[in-house]
Amino acid sequence: MYSDLEGKVVIVTGGATGIGRAICERFGKEKAKVVINYHSERESTKDIISAIEAAGGQATSLKGDVRSEDDIKKLVAHAAETFGSVDVMVNNAGVENEVPSHELSLDDWHRVIETNLTGQFLGSREAIRYMLEHNIKGSIINMSSVHEIIPWPHFVHYAASKGGVKLMSQTLALEYAPKGIRVNNIAPGAIDTPINAEKFADPEKKKGVIDLIPLGYIGKPEEIAACAVWLASSEASYVTGLTLFADGGMTKYPGFQAGRG
Ligand code: NAD
């Protein structure tokens, strides 16, 4: 637990499911004030708000599309109006779909780049604006992926978006370090969330993924949430411009395990 997170105002995009939901609930356990952005009418934030309140935190939710400049401005304004600050911004919302690159439509390319990269830029920019105006030494956490460094055939738009998030975050980290605003990435490996539900329902595909993970299992959303609270806390006060890989060793060349190569 990180006692300095108590009462901090934390925005999480794509907070109704998967990794985002786990992050919201973990900040609740830290007794933070959580603003949950959700995207689809089908996503309910009622249970998440209840869980956060039961843990001693506070929470509110707002529907919005991270691709929309207007929606992101409303999200930051909602946090400020409801809880009086913006201390931590977690740009987590993301999408992917599998298509051979030569068949990828321009619409799909735009949808993924706009959600995963432009959305994270808008979230970072609006949070940083608020932090600068109110002299807040805040923390921005962007959800990248191991695919910020691992090329991924059939997911060229996704890999391009996460590669973009890598240098976007590092650039923002450098630019706003003099103001005490820290900007970091989390790069999950394979995590058990709705984004992977179809793939992991197929035992052969699931085994194919596990074979790429030296620790030998698919990660849990809570293991990513643990990285987010640490990065947001004062325990990480000297950490900026980092990509924290939480991937069970996936980026450490598992093909070379057991002395192969
Ligand atoms: P998920 O599908 O459960 O979560 C994605 C969330 O983003 C959903 O809540 C969805 O509603 C939201 N979203 C999508 N488009 C949006 C939009 N335009 N505006 C607002 N919200 C929108 O999957 P997840 O695994 O929890 O993914 C969360 C993040 O983690 C994503 O950025 C993803 O790329 C990243 N990630 C996931 C994995 C993994 O294995 N699960 C690995 C690496 C990175």
Side-chain angles (χ1 to χ4, degrees), residues 4-154:
D4 63 291
L5 293 179
E6 182 168 348
K8 286 274 155 56
V9 180
V10 183
I11 301 175
V12 182
T13 67
T17 65
I19 291 170
R21 178 180 180 141
I23 291 174
C24 290
E25 293 186 351
R26 178 62 200 264
F27 273 106
K29 288 184 182 151
E30 304 292 340
K31 303 191 189 332
K33 298 173 178 170
V34 185
V35 179
I36 309 162
N37 153 262
Y38 66 100
H39 184 226
S40 144
E41 290 299 354
R42 282 174 290 132
E43 295 169 345
S44 167
T45 55
K46 232 172 94 190
D47 289 354
I48 309 172
I49 291 175
S50 301
I52 291 169
E53 287 174 351
Q58 295 179 53
T60 176
S61 66
L62 190 71
K63 187 172 187 287
D65 187 330
V66 296
R67 293 170 293 181
S68 155
E69 190 171 21
D70 205 39
D71 283 4
I72 293 284
K73 282 179 190 277
K74 283 182 184 149
L75 185 64
V76 170
H78 182 67
E81 279 156 22
T82 311
F83 293 134
S85 187
V86 176
D87 301 301
V88 180
M89 179 82 191
V90 184
N91 292 301
N92 165 75
V95 288
E96 66 178 48
N97 67 309
E98 181 172 5
V99 196
S101 298
H102 66 282
E103 290 172 8
L104 180 65
S105 68
L106 190 56
D107 277 355
D108 260 359
W109 170 268
H110 281 311
R111 184 176 58 86
V112 170
I113 296 289
E114 282 169 21
T115 308
N116 298 8
L117 180 57
T118 310
Q120 297 208 15
F121 164 69
L122 289 171
S124 299
R125 189 194 69 184
E126 288 308 309
I128 288 170
R129 272 187 187 164
Y130 185 91
M131 289 168 186
L132 290 175
E133 275 167 23
H134 296 83
N135 204 18
I136 294 167
K137 296 186 191 319
S139 167
I140 311 286
I141 298 169
N142 292 322
M143 200 54 64
S144 177
S145 161
V146 290
H147 297 294
E148 75 163 47
I149 57 166
I150 303 178
W152 201 16
H154 294 201

Side-chain angles (χ1 to χ4, degrees), residues 167-179 181 183 240-241:
L167 273 177
M168 180 191 76
S169 295
Q170 289 176 355
T171 299
L172 294 175
L174 196 56
E175 197 167 340
Y176 295 101
K179 299 291 182 189
I181 298 171
V183 184
T240 196

